[in-house]
Amino acid sequence: YVTFETPVGTSINSFENVVDPSNSYPNDVQFSYGFFSFILKGIGVGDATAVSFYFPSDTRFDTYYKYGPTPEKQFEHWYEFVYDNKIGAEFDENIITLHFVDGETGDDDLAKNGIIIDIGGPGTRIITPLESSSPQIGGDTDSYGCFIESLYY
């Protein structure tokens, strides 16, 4: 289960879990909880606000991706939404707090209208083995540099 918390005096509309809003999410991140879509109403026009996701206690994430327009690219695209002391996702163990400013990056309608529209999801970066351009021991180019030897008595 995931618990979603909004500030006092706000209301949440159209909250849903979506599989993939674009059918082409970043392939170097695992989105084990999928993506969330919601509309937050009741904040002041142009104001900052924050919402929090509470995941099971053993859950950890290291990134949050959003799908939507930004002031720099006003078309739907994937972008990492990490906290920069103003906006973005802040991680504290199993809690993710999303910081928004109405009408700025992160608010999918990009309008100062007292409404935050969000589509995005928490993820974990996938670690892949480092590949080498030079041959390893014995000239085997498919090796990842690990050599195990066993002795039988």
Coordinates of all heavy atoms in Angstrom, one line a residue, residues 63-102:
T63 N 15.3 8.0 -7.2 CA 15.0 9.0 -8.3 C 13.5 9.1 -8.4 O 12.7 8.2 -8.0 CB 15.7 8.7 -9.6 OG1 15.5 9.8 -10.5 CG2 15.1 7.4 -10.2
Y64 N 13.0 10.2 -9.1 CA 11.6 10.4 -9.4 C 11.6 11.0 -10.8 O 12.3 11.9 -11.1 CB 11.0 11.3 -8.4 CG 9.4 11.3 -8.5 CD1 8.7 10.5 -7.7 CD2 8.8 12.1 -9.4 CE1 7.3 10.4 -7.8 CE2 7.4 12.1 -9.5 CZ 6.7 11.2 -8.7 OH 5.3 11.2 -8.7
Y65 N 10.8 10.3 -11.7 CA 10.7 10.8 -13.1 C 9.3 11.3 -13.3 O 8.3 10.7 -12.8 CB 11.0 9.7 -14.1 CG 12.5 9.7 -14.5 CD1 13.4 9.1 -13.7 CD2 12.9 10.4 -15.6 CE1 14.8 9.1 -14.0 CE2 14.3 10.3 -16.0 CZ 15.2 9.7 -15.2 OH 16.5 9.7 -15.5
K66 N 9.2 12.4 -14.0 CA 7.9 12.9 -14.4 C 7.8 12.9 -15.9 O 8.7 12.9 -16.7 CB 7.8 14.4 -14.0 CG 7.6 14.5 -12.5 CD 7.2 15.9 -12.0 CE 6.2 16.6 -12.7 NZ 4.9 16.0 -12.9
Y67 N 6.5 12.8 -16.4 CA 6.2 12.8 -17.8 C 5.3 14.0 -18.1 O 4.1 14.0 -17.6 CB 5.6 11.5 -18.2 CG 5.3 11.4 -19.7 CD1 6.4 11.2 -20.6 CD2 4.0 11.5 -20.2 CE1 6.1 11.2 -22.0 CE2 3.8 11.5 -21.6 CZ 4.9 11.3 -22.5 OH 4.6 11.2 -23.8
G68 N 5.8 15.0 -18.8 CA 5.0 16.1 -19.1 C 5.8 17.2 -19.6 O 7.0 17.1 -19.9
P69 N 5.2 18.4 -19.9 CA 6.0 19.5 -20.4 C 6.7 20.3 -19.3 O 6.4 20.1 -18.1 CB 4.9 20.4 -21.0 CG 3.7 20.1 -20.1 CD 3.8 18.7 -19.8
T70 N 7.7 21.0 -19.7 CA 8.5 21.9 -18.8 C 8.6 23.3 -19.5 O 8.3 23.3 -20.7 CB 9.9 21.4 -18.5 OG1 10.6 21.3 -19.8 CG2 9.9 20.0 -17.8
P71 N 8.9 24.3 -18.8 CA 9.0 25.6 -19.4 C 10.0 25.6 -20.6 O 9.8 26.3 -21.6 CB 9.5 26.5 -18.3 CG 8.9 25.9 -17.1 CD 9.0 24.4 -17.3
E72 N 11.1 24.8 -20.5 CA 12.1 24.7 -21.5 C 11.6 23.9 -22.7 O 12.0 24.1 -23.8 CB 13.4 24.1 -21.0 CG 14.0 24.9 -19.8 CD 13.4 24.7 -18.5 OE1 12.8 23.6 -18.3 OE2 13.4 25.6 -17.7
K73 N 10.9 22.8 -22.4 CA 10.4 21.9 -23.5 C 8.9 21.7 -23.3 O 8.5 20.9 -22.5 CB 11.1 20.5 -23.4 CG 12.5 20.5 -23.7 CD 13.1 19.1 -23.6 CE 14.6 19.1 -23.8 NZ 15.1 17.7 -23.7
Q74 N 8.1 22.5 -24.0 CA 6.7 22.5 -23.7 C 5.9 21.5 -24.5 O 4.9 21.7 -25.1 CB 6.1 23.9 -24.0 CG 6.7 24.9 -23.1 CD 6.1 26.3 -23.1 OE1 5.2 26.6 -23.9 NE2 6.5 27.2 -22.3
F75 N 6.4 20.3 -24.4 CA 5.8 19.1 -25.0 C 6.0 17.9 -24.0 O 6.9 18.0 -23.2 CB 6.3 18.7 -26.4 CG 7.8 18.5 -26.4 CD1 8.4 17.3 -26.2 CD2 8.6 19.6 -26.7 CE1 9.8 17.2 -26.2 CE2 10.0 19.5 -26.7 CZ 10.6 18.2 -26.5
E76 N 5.2 16.9 -24.0 CA 5.4 15.8 -23.1 C 6.7 15.0 -23.3 O 7.0 14.6 -24.5 CB 4.2 14.8 -23.2 CG 2.9 15.5 -22.7 CD 1.7 14.5 -22.7 OE1 1.7 13.6 -23.6 OE2 0.8 14.7 -21.9
H77 N 7.4 14.9 -22.3 CA 8.7 14.2 -22.3 C 9.1 13.7 -20.9 O 8.5 14.2 -19.9 CB 9.8 15.0 -22.9 CG 10.2 16.2 -22.0 ND1 9.4 17.4 -22.0 CD2 11.2 16.4 -21.2 CE1 9.9 18.2 -21.2 NE2 11.1 17.7 -20.7
W78 N 9.9 12.7 -20.8 CA 10.4 12.3 -19.5 C 11.5 13.2 -19.0 O 12.4 13.6 -19.8 CB 11.0 10.8 -19.6 CG 9.9 9.8 -19.7 CD1 9.5 9.1 -20.9 CD2 9.0 9.4 -18.7 NE1 8.5 8.3 -20.6 CE2 8.2 8.4 -19.3 CE3 8.9 9.6 -17.4 CZ2 7.2 7.7 -18.6 CZ3 7.9 9.0 -16.6 CH2 7.1 8.0 -17.2
Y79 N 11.5 13.5 -17.7 CA 12.6 14.2 -17.1 C 12.7 13.9 -15.6 O 11.7 13.5 -15.0 CB 12.4 15.7 -17.3 CG 11.2 16.4 -16.6 CD1 11.3 17.0 -15.4 CD2 10.0 16.4 -17.3 CE1 10.2 17.5 -14.8 CE2 8.9 17.0 -16.7 CZ 9.0 17.5 -15.5 OH 7.9 18.1 -14.9
E80 N 13.9 13.9 -15.1 CA 14.2 13.6 -13.7 C 13.7 14.8 -12.9 O 14.0 15.9 -13.2 CB 15.6 13.2 -13.5 CG 15.9 12.6 -12.2 CD 17.3 12.0 -12.0 OE1 18.2 12.5 -12.7 OE2 17.4 11.1 -11.2
F81 N 13.0 14.5 -11.8 CA 12.5 15.5 -10.9 C 13.1 15.4 -9.5 O 12.5 14.8 -8.6 CB 10.9 15.4 -10.9 CG 10.2 16.5 -10.3 CD1 10.2 17.8 -10.8 CD2 9.4 16.3 -9.2 CE1 9.5 18.8 -10.2 CE2 8.6 17.3 -8.6 CZ 8.7 18.6 -9.1
V82 N 14.3 15.9 -9.3 CA 15.0 15.8 -8.1 C 15.1 17.1 -7.4 O 15.3 18.1 -8.0 CB 16.4 15.2 -8.3 CG1 17.2 15.0 -7.0 CG2 16.3 13.8 -9.0
Y83 N 14.9 17.1 -6.1 CA 14.9 18.3 -5.3 C 16.1 19.2 -5.5 O 17.2 18.8 -5.3 CB 14.7 18.0 -3.8 CG 14.3 19.1 -2.9 CD1 13.2 19.9 -3.2 CD2 15.1 19.4 -1.8 CE1 12.9 21.0 -2.4 CE2 14.7 20.4 -0.9 CZ 13.7 21.2 -1.2 OH 13.3 22.3 -0.4
D84 N 15.9 20.5 -5.7 CA 16.9 21.5 -5.9 C 16.8 22.7 -4.9 O 17.2 23.8 -5.1 CB 16.9 22.0 -7.3 CG 15.7 22.8 -7.7 OD1 14.8 23.0 -6.8 OD2 15.6 23.3 -8.8
N85 N 16.2 22.4 -3.7 CA 15.9 23.4 -2.7 C 14.7 24.3 -3.0 O 14.4 25.2 -2.3 CB 17.1 24.2 -2.3 CG 18.2 23.4 -1.6 OD1 17.9 22.5 -0.8 ND2 19.4 23.6 -2.0
K86 N 14.0 24.0 -4.1 CA 12.8 24.7 -4.5 C 11.7 23.8 -5.0 O 10.6 23.8 -4.4 CB 13.1 25.8 -5.5 CG 11.9 26.6 -5.9 CD 12.3 27.7 -7.0 CE 11.1 28.5 -7.4 NZ 11.4 29.4 -8.5
I87 N 12.1 23.0 -6.0 CA 11.1 22.0 -6.6 C 11.8 20.7 -6.7 O 13.0 20.6 -6.7 CB 10.6 22.5 -7.9 CG1 11.7 22.6 -8.9 CG2 9.7 23.7 -7.8 CD1 11.3 22.9 -10.3
G88 N 11.0 19.6 -6.8 CA 11.6 18.3 -7.0 C 11.2 17.3 -5.9 O 10.5 17.6 -5.0
A89 N 11.7 16.1 -6.1 CA 11.4 15.0 -5.2 C 12.5 14.9 -4.2 O 13.7 14.8 -4.5 CB 11.3 13.7 -5.9
E90 N 12.1 14.8 -2.9 CA 13.1 14.7 -1.8 C 12.8 13.3 -1.1 O 11.7 12.9 -0.9 CB 12.8 15.8 -0.8 CG 13.8 15.9 0.3 CD 13.6 17.1 1.2 OE1 12.4 17.7 1.2 OE2 14.5 17.5 1.9
F91 N 13.9 12.6 -0.9 CA 13.8 11.2 -0.4 C 14.3 11.1 1.1 O 15.3 11.6 1.4 CB 14.7 10.3 -1.3 CG 14.3 10.4 -2.7 CD1 15.0 11.3 -3.6 CD2 13.4 9.5 -3.3 CE1 14.7 11.3 -4.9 CE2 13.0 9.6 -4.6 CZ 13.7 10.5 -5.4
D92 N 13.4 10.5 1.9 CA 13.8 10.3 3.3 C 13.3 8.8 3.6 O 12.2 8.6 4.0 CB 13.1 11.3 4.2 CG 13.4 11.1 5.7 OD1 14.4 10.4 6.0 OD2 12.8 11.7 6.5
E93 N 14.2 7.9 3.5 CA 13.9 6.5 3.7 C 12.7 6.1 2.8 O 12.8 6.1 1.6 CB 13.8 6.1 5.1 CG 15.1 6.4 5.9 CD 15.0 5.9 7.3 OE1 14.0 5.2 7.7 OE2 16.0 6.1 8.0
N94 N 11.6 5.7 3.4 CA 10.5 5.2 2.6 C 9.5 6.4 2.3 O 8.4 6.1 1.8 CB 9.7 4.1 3.3 CG 9.1 4.6 4.6 OD1 9.8 5.3 5.4 ND2 7.9 4.2 4.9
I95 N 9.8 7.6 2.5 CA 8.9 8.7 2.2 C 9.5 9.6 1.1 O 10.7 9.9 1.1 CB 8.8 9.6 3.5 CG1 8.2 8.8 4.7 CG2 7.9 10.8 3.2 CD1 8.3 9.5 6.0
I96 N 8.7 9.9 0.1 CA 9.0 10.8 -0.9 C 8.1 12.0 -0.8 O 6.9 11.9 -0.8 CB 8.9 10.2 -2.3 CG1 9.8 8.9 -2.4 CG2 9.2 11.2 -3.4 CD1 9.6 8.2 -3.8
T97 N 8.8 13.2 -0.7 CA 8.0 14.5 -0.7 C 8.3 15.2 -2.0 O 9.4 15.4 -2.4 CB 8.5 15.3 0.5 OG1 8.2 14.6 1.7 CG2 7.7 16.6 0.5
L98 N 7.2 15.5 -2.7 CA 7.3 16.2 -4.0 C 7.0 17.7 -3.7 O 6.0 18.0 -3.2 CB 6.3 15.7 -5.0 CG 6.3 14.2 -5.4 CD1 5.2 13.9 -6.4 CD2 7.7 13.9 -5.9
H99 N 8.0 18.5 -4.1 CA 7.9 20.0 -3.9 C 7.5 20.6 -5.3 O 8.2 20.4 -6.3 CB 9.2 20.6 -3.4 CG 9.6 20.0 -2.1 ND1 9.2 20.6 -0.9 CD2 10.4 18.9 -1.8 CE1 9.8 19.9 0.1 NE2 10.4 18.9 -0.4
F100 N 6.4 21.4 -5.2 CA 6.0 22.0 -6.5 C 5.8 23.5 -6.2 O 5.6 24.0 -5.1 CB 4.5 21.5 -6.8 CG 4.4 20.1 -7.1 CD1 4.0 19.2 -6.2 CD2 4.8 19.6 -8.4 CE1 3.8 17.8 -6.5 CE2 4.7 18.3 -8.7 CZ 4.2 17.4 -7.8
V101 N 5.9 24.3 -7.4 CA 5.5 25.7 -7.4 C 4.5 25.8 -8.5 O 4.8 25.4 -9.7 CB 6.7 26.6 -7.6 CG1 6.2 28.1 -7.8 CG2 7.7 26.5 -6.4
D102 N 3.3 26.3 -8.3 CA 2.3 26.4 -9.2 C 2.8 27.1 -10.5 O 3.3 28.2 -10.4 CB 1.1 27.1 -8.6 CG -0.1 27.2 -9.5 OD1 -0.3 26.3 -10.4 OD2 -0.8 28.3 -9.4

